[in-house]
Amino acid sequence: MNQVNTPDASADGLVLGLELTNAGMLARVGGKAANLGETIGAGLPVPPGFCLTTDAYRSAVGPAGLEEVHSALAAAGTNDLDALAGLAARARELILGVEIPPEIAGAVRESYAALGTDVPVAVRSSATAEDLPFASFAGQQDTYLNVVGADAVLAAVRQCWASLWTDRAVTYRATHGISPSTVALAVVVQKMVDAAVAGVLFTANPVTGRRHEAVIDASPGLGEAVVSGAVNPDHFVVDADSKEILERRPGDKGIAIRPVPGGGTERVMLAPDSAPSLTDVQVRALAALGSRVERHYSSPQDIEWAIDGADKLWLTQSRPITTLYPIPDPRPDLPEREGTRVYLCFSLAQGLTRPLTPMGTAGLKLIASSVARAAGFDVPVPRNGPAPFRQAGQRLFFDLTPVVRSSVGRAIVPRVLDVMEARSAAVLRGLFADPRFSVTLRTPWRFVRHVGPVAAKVRIPETLLRALFRPEAALRRVDGLGERLRAALVVPANATAAERLNHAERILGEELFPIVPAVLPLPALGFALLGLAGRLSGQGAVPGALQPVLRGLPNNVTTEMDLALWQLATDIRAHAGAAAAFEESSPPELARRYRAGELPAVVQSGLAGFLGRYGHRTVAEIDLGMPRWSDDPGHILGVLANYLKLDDPALAPDRQFANAAREAEDRIERLAAAAGSRGGPAGRFRARLVRGALKRTRLFAGLRELPKYHLVEGLGSVRQQLSSVGAELAAAGRIAEAGDIFFLDFAEAHRGLAGASMRALVAERREAYDAELGRRRIPRVLLSDGTEPEAVQARGGTGAGVLSGTPASAGTVTAKARVILDPHGARLEPGEILVAPSTDPGWTPLFLTAGGLVMEMGGPNSHGAVVAREYGIPAVVGVPDATSTISTGQVITLDGGAGTVAPSAG
């Protein structure tokens, strides 16, 4: 490789040969140099060069006086772009004005001379937070190509140092909470390759996620043309194992960037050429090189490469691909299963886009284990979760391969997902034609064997008969289930921390799940009766004919919660002094005053009553680690402030709800009349059947919210016990603060009580959790080879600018959109269309003043869709990328019947 062994050119190590750098020197040499040093050590073909360390940067810019800029940047708001840009310009000015210290300049001249006489080099920035698995800083700092001569190299080094303070780099760091005083820059100086052709190579497909595909983009000249997007390159996809070229797509390659004699580069216009810039032999050689690099790093890599005039292949840069979603973790307690597996993201199916805390995952493992045991599956260690349980990207996935390969599974599971998360159902159905997942189980006996015992144990047939003939008794039994659960949640006041932990595990592993099959048959019966009534009345096939029956439903605990909050707002509005408090104080200040008992009496007592009943709820409430409204009432106080803005009596939610209930009763009578229109005894009997069926639909359909309500009630109680244990661990110094317990699991919490320090583990997990919070793209379905089927399956369009989803609540509205990613502290002006990634009951207080709803996830019977229908607001769910395609303030037209969202013509 003609590697030049550049000596440590300074006693202080200000300049190092690239071959002396490695991954353990990240803070000194930055990501780019560290990665290049690793590849050199692996015997890969890397052009020789050297690195100016971060010590050189600090030594050179120390006298520049950047301390005042650092302080000002730390105090600047992340949204004050003008202030950030001004401070960035000042930092660049200071750095460009300093002289490079003689010892650094001398070391650079010596190292440059070792590469050859006036040899062309590339001078590249190497940031300490760049090219890392957990951060994608690539491109934030500058690169200079074809630099010739020691003086020119030193000038380029100074420019690289200054580029640490470009507007985009400063804004990026401010947005991501990186302190300006902690950053430093190393600089790589590397011998240029006189490239005949160059480009980039991904050792995994960055679009589909497939780990076994290498993707190559190539164009004549220097690779900068491809990296910068200046050309449409030739595109190749290669099977990394067989080296078969799966795809060839020629680009126009209209520009080449070439070195200019004496230094610098120029753009040369090329005649359009459809001939590929790489031969098949070169494509396969690149794929083989990528495999070597990936094996060395044990992770997929983003590689820059060049082929010189002598047909020698060079690697000029390698960094991890940061955009790939992690493959689900293997289960060390279970044997690895052969073949490609299908994983469904349970987190997304529940409308949860954020990662789960470790204790949240631990709680769901115990609940899932109780479900599996009830169905007759073997769960040797409940804390590990049932066999299908997997984790990836701190989210919960289930192995659905047996379901996909079962005729019964194919018939049932997609239909369930149709009403929960319709896009996941569509992706799952798209796999049915894949021969890797052909049906191997065609009989229903396995399904019956596992579902039958659950149905028998909770007496589902008896529940359904009672609901049909004694509906009020069925409702009383449901109330009794809730009372028994609340009794089971009680813990003696003098319980020890270990006893509280054991109690929490028992609640999660034994008490919570049984209430689901005991209640769920009732709303299922309600929807079945709705369908029956539609057929009997002849109106079932008429679009929207049955939907009004489901508006203004009684016995819906979430609707009751929202209306209780609205009633509190009404009480506050009636007291001028109480309403004024919301105009004078922010929600966090109101929360502080509430905790101090300083709010007006109507607010203080009313909020206490609301939180006493509903304080266990929150956003992302299936995660034990998420603070409840009773922990932090700031969100609810913000919602109340929003309610107080609604001053049109006709739009009052309680009035709209009452109107919806009356309209539902009217629709029942019209459907009954339609059923009896034939007259005679048969007609009258048919009318009575329809009326009775729809009355029961209204009694029971709202109960669909109750099983989750009770689950979350239990989770809220468990969280209280865990918080108490966390306080004891913090007092003993085992963790830093009580909330740290949610970054442990149950076994680790027990070890903490036994005396082990958990501080280092918590810090590591908090850092990983905070990093994962920034991930926006979560696959609904993921294969074990990394493939994201949704990215592979083509989707047709519906017209320019029109977004298509699943109809959820009929009606059309044109209004301004409000994109909200997190409802905490969010403001939704009355009549605005709420655009959200997903919603759970923690979001629904916003629905009362919304003019419409657009969600990226969900199906027609997902939580948000049901509540939208009850409130009579148009809704479309399952709209791909809605929160990034639609912008706040944009006027859009939402058609809840057609399932479309379009920019307004006006």
Side-chain angles (χ1 to χ4, degrees):
M1 289 184 295
N2 300 321
Q3 184 66 49
V4 175
N5 292 321
T6 308
D8 184 338
S10 159
D12 296 325
L14 299 175
V15 178
L16 298 173
L18 286 178
E19 71 280 358
L20 300 178
T21 65
N22 57 59
M25 303 169 66
L26 181 65
R28 267 186 90 192
V29 302
K32 191 174 278 87
N35 287 345
L36 287 171
E38 285 288 320
T39 52
I40 291 170
L44 294 160
V46 178
F50 58 91
C51 171
L52 284 82
T53 66
T54 54
D55 295 332
Y57 167 83
R58 293 189 177 94
S59 176
V61 306
L66 286 173
E67 293 81 4
E68 291 184 7
V69 176
H70 291 167
S71 299
L73 282 170
T78 57
N79 295 322
D80 192 348
L81 301 183
D82 290 339
L84 292 175
L87 291 168
R90 177 57 180 159
R92 295 195 300 273
E93 178 185 4
L94 291 173
I95 291 173
L96 292 174
V98 301
E99 290 293 329
I100 296 180
E103 65 274 18
I104 297 176
V108 169
R109 292 180 184 278
E110 179 182 349
S111 297
Y112 176 68
L115 296 177
T117 303
D118 286 340
V119 63
V121 294
V123 182
R124 304 175 185 268
S125 303
S126 182
T128 54
E130 169 180 67
D131 300 340
L132 304 178
F134 50 83
S136 183
F137 278 42
Q140 296 293 334
Q141 282 80 47
D142 288 347
T143 288
Y144 298 89
L145 301 177
N146 199 41
V147 180
V148 180
D151 290 341
V153 169
L154 289 169
V157 166
R158 188 188 284 107
Q159 292 287 346
C160 284
W161 285 339
S163 75
L164 184 61
W165 302 96
T166 60
D167 293 357
R168 65 183 184 274
V170 168
T171 302
Y172 188 96
R173 291 195 294 267
T175 302
H176 288 78
I178 300 170
S179 171
S181 62
T182 62
V183 297
L185 191 75
V187 179
V188 169
V189 179
Q190 193 175 18
K191 188 174 181 179
M192 283 280 294
V193 176
D194 187 8
V197 60
V200 296
L201 158 65
F202 292 89
T203 65
N205 194 315
V207 176
T208 66
R210 287 174 173 162
R211 300 304 201 267
H212 62 84
E213 289 182 354
V215 178
I216 300 167
D217 286 345
S219 192
L222 300 178
E224 181 67 14
V226 176
V227 174
S228 66
V231 296
N232 292 319
D234 294 330
H235 180 80
F236 306 87
V237 179
V238 186
D239 186 295
D241 297 325
S242 68
K243 300 301 182 287
E244 177 187 358
I245 300 175
L246 305 175
E247 181 182 345
R248 295 180 180 84
R249 190 172 68 238
D252 56 31
K253 305 179 291 295
I255 294 174
I257 298 178
R258 300 197 184 279
V260 175
T265 61
E266 64 177 354
R267 291 192 173 198
V268 178
M269 300 301 296
L270 302 177
D273 186 1
S274 61
S277 54
L278 293 174
T279 67
D280 287 1
V281 171
Q282 290 172 323
V283 169
R284 292 188 177 96
L286 278 166
L289 174 65
S291 296
R292 287 178 61 193
V293 178
E294 182 175 278
R295 281 195 299 272
H296 175 73
Y297 284 105
S298 298
S299 69
Q301 296 290 299
D302 169 3
I303 296 167
E304 294 181 25
W305 55 269
I307 298 176
D308 63 21
D311 201 32
K312 182 173 178 57
L313 174 58
W314 295 93
L315 187 157
T316 58
Q317 186 170 319
S318 183
R319 56 176 171 259
I321 303 175
T322 59
T323 57
L324 293 173
Y325 197 83
I327 294 174
D329 298 331
R331 287 280 299 265
D333 58 324
L334 296 173
E336 280 299 305
R337 299 181 177 182
E338 296 182 358
T340 306
R341 313 299 294 178
V342 180
Y343 300 107
L344 172 76
C345 185
F346 176 79
S347 296
L348 273 188
Q350 288 294 309
L352 187 62
T353 56
R354 64 186 297 133
L356 291 162
T357 61
M359 188 60 81
T361 300
L364 291 173
K365 283 181 179 180
L366 288 173
I367 296 173
S369 292
S370 72
V371 175
R373 288 201 309 272
F377 291 99
D378 183 32
V379 185
V381 184
R383 282 178 177 173
N384 292 341
F389 181 97
R390 292 291 188 279
Q391 291 172 258
Q394 299 176 44
R395 292 166 180 87
L396 176 58
F397 285 76
F398 279 121
D399 185 348
L400 282 193
T401 314
V403 170
V404 174
R405 306 199 72 170
S406 160
S407 57
V408 175
R410 288 189 174 198
I412 294 177
V413 173
R415 285 185 172 87
V416 173
L417 289 173
D418 279 335
V419 299
M420 285 178 57
E421 218 295 288
R423 288 173 64 193
S424 295
V427 175
L428 200 62
R429 287 189 176 100
L431 295 174
F432 290 171
D434 191 323
R436 292 176 296 176
F437 310 119
S438 58
V439 173
T440 57
L441 184 62
R442 302 185 182 277
T443 66
W445 300 120
R446 184 176 180 184
F447 173 79
V448 172
R449 187 170 72 249
H450 290 296
V451 173
V454 179
K457 185 174 183 179
V458 298
R459 299 184 294 184
I460 288 179
E462 178 185 333
T463 298
L464 294 175
L465 289 171
R466 183 186 297 111
L468 283 171
F469 297 106
R470 299 175 58 208
E472 297 299 333
L475 292 175
R476 287 195 298 272
R477 182 172 181 270
V478 165
D479 290 339
L481 292 171
E483 292 170 3
R484 284 195 292 275
L485 173 63
R486 283 186 282 275
L489 297 178
V490 175
V491 181
N494 61 352
T496 66
E499 289 170 341
R500 292 180 187 276
L501 265 184
N502 291 332
H503 169 82
E505 288 195 82
R506 182 182 63 80
I507 293 299
L508 294 168
E510 299 176 16
E511 299 289 345
L512 290 186
F513 171 67
I515 206 167
V516 175
V519 175
L520 208 54
L522 295 179
L525 175 64
F527 284 104
L529 291 173
L530 179 68
L532 174 64
R535 287 194 293 273
L536 290 174
S537 66
Q539 302 296 303
V542 178
L546 301 177
Q547 194 174 96
V549 176
L550 297 175
R551 293 190 57 204
L553 288 172
N555 303 318
N556 185 320
V557 68
T558 300
T559 304
E560 293 168 356
M561 175 188 75
D562 293 342
L563 291 176
L565 192 60
W566 171 256
Q567 183 58 52
L568 177 55
T570 302
D571 295 341
I572 293 170
R573 185 183 286 108
H575 294 73
F582 284 81
E583 297 176 359
E584 298 166 357
S585 301
S586 66
E589 173 61 16
L590 290 169
R592 185 200 65 76
R593 292 176 62 188
Y594 169 74
R595 285 188 287 266
E598 298 172 355
L599 288 175
V602 65
V603 183
Q604 195 75 33
S605 62
L607 184 59
F610 178 85
L611 294 177
R613 183 169 182 185
Y614 300 111
H616 59 275
R617 309 221 74 164
T618 189
V619 177
E621 58 193 1
I622 64 171
D623 185 352
L624 278 169
M626 295 302 294
R628 311 286 128 168
W629 288 340
S630 55
D631 298 323
D632 179 10
H635 172 60
I636 290 300
L637 287 161
V639 173
L640 285 170
N642 195 49
Y643 285 0
L644 292 173
K645 292 182 177 182
L646 187 61
D647 52 12
D648 184 347
L651 297 178
D654 53 350
R655 181 174 297 184
Q656 291 196 51
F657 186 81
N659 290 338
R662 284 193 296 271
E663 291 172 8
E665 295 296 334
D666 291 343
R667 182 56 59 98
I668 288 175
E669 292 306 316
R670 284 168 29 202
L671 290 168
S677 60
R678 297 178 185 175
R684 288 192 294 275
F685 178 70
R686 186 184 292 265
R688 284 199 303 272
L689 280 179
V690 168
R691 187 179 292 108
L694 293 178
K695 292 285 187 183
R696 283 160 179 75
T697 291
R698 287 189 55 74
L699 277 179
F700 299 137
L703 293 174
R704 72 175 297 279
E705 295 287 306
L706 194 59
K708 185 175 182 181
Y709 177 86
H710 285 314
L711 285 174
V712 174
E713 194 174 17
L715 291 174
S717 176
V718 167
R719 179 180 167 84
Q720 288 181 337
Q721 302 308 318
L722 291 172
S723 296
S724 177
V725 175
E728 185 165 325
L729 287 173
R734 315 280 165 65
I735 55 179
E737 56 186 67
D740 285 351
I741 193 171
F742 298 106
F743 289 86
L744 303 174
D745 61 25
F746 284 100
E748 292 157 352
H750 277 292
R751 289 205 296 273
L753 289 176
S757 174
M758 295 289 145
R759 285 174 170 263
L761 179 61
V762 167
E764 177 185 335
R765 287 185 176 162
R766 278 192 178 275
E767 182 179 3
Y769 179 83
D770 290 342
E772 193 61 36
L773 280 172
R775 190 188 298 276
R776 291 293 310 280
R777 180 182 172 188
I778 317 298
R780 285 163 171 75
V781 177
L782 185 64
L783 303 188
S784 55
D785 66 355
T787 302
E788 298 181 24
E790 190 173 16
V792 177
Q793 298 167 5
R795 242 186 346 247
T798 55
V802 178
L803 304 178
S804 180
T806 300
S809 180
T812 301
V813 61
T814 299
K816 288 183 178 179
R818 173 79 62 172
V819 178
I820 298 178
L821 303 179
D822 185 337
H824 287 295
R827 304 297 292 267
L828 184 71
E829 299 298 324
E832 288 183 326
I833 296 173
L834 170 61
V835 182
S838 64
T839 64
D840 61 15
W843 287 75
T844 55
L846 293 173
F847 284 30
L848 288 181
T849 55
L853 171 68
V854 178
M855 294 189 342
E856 290 185 334
M857 271 81 74
N861 276 337
S862 59
H863 169 81
V866 169
V867 177
R869 285 197 297 271
E870 292 195 17
Y871 292 168
I873 61 175
V876 181
V877 301
V879 181
D881 306 317
T883 60
S884 56
T885 305
I886 300 170
S887 57
T888 294
Q890 179 183 0
V891 178
I892 59 176
T893 297
L894 182 161
D895 188 333
T900 59
V901 183
S904 174

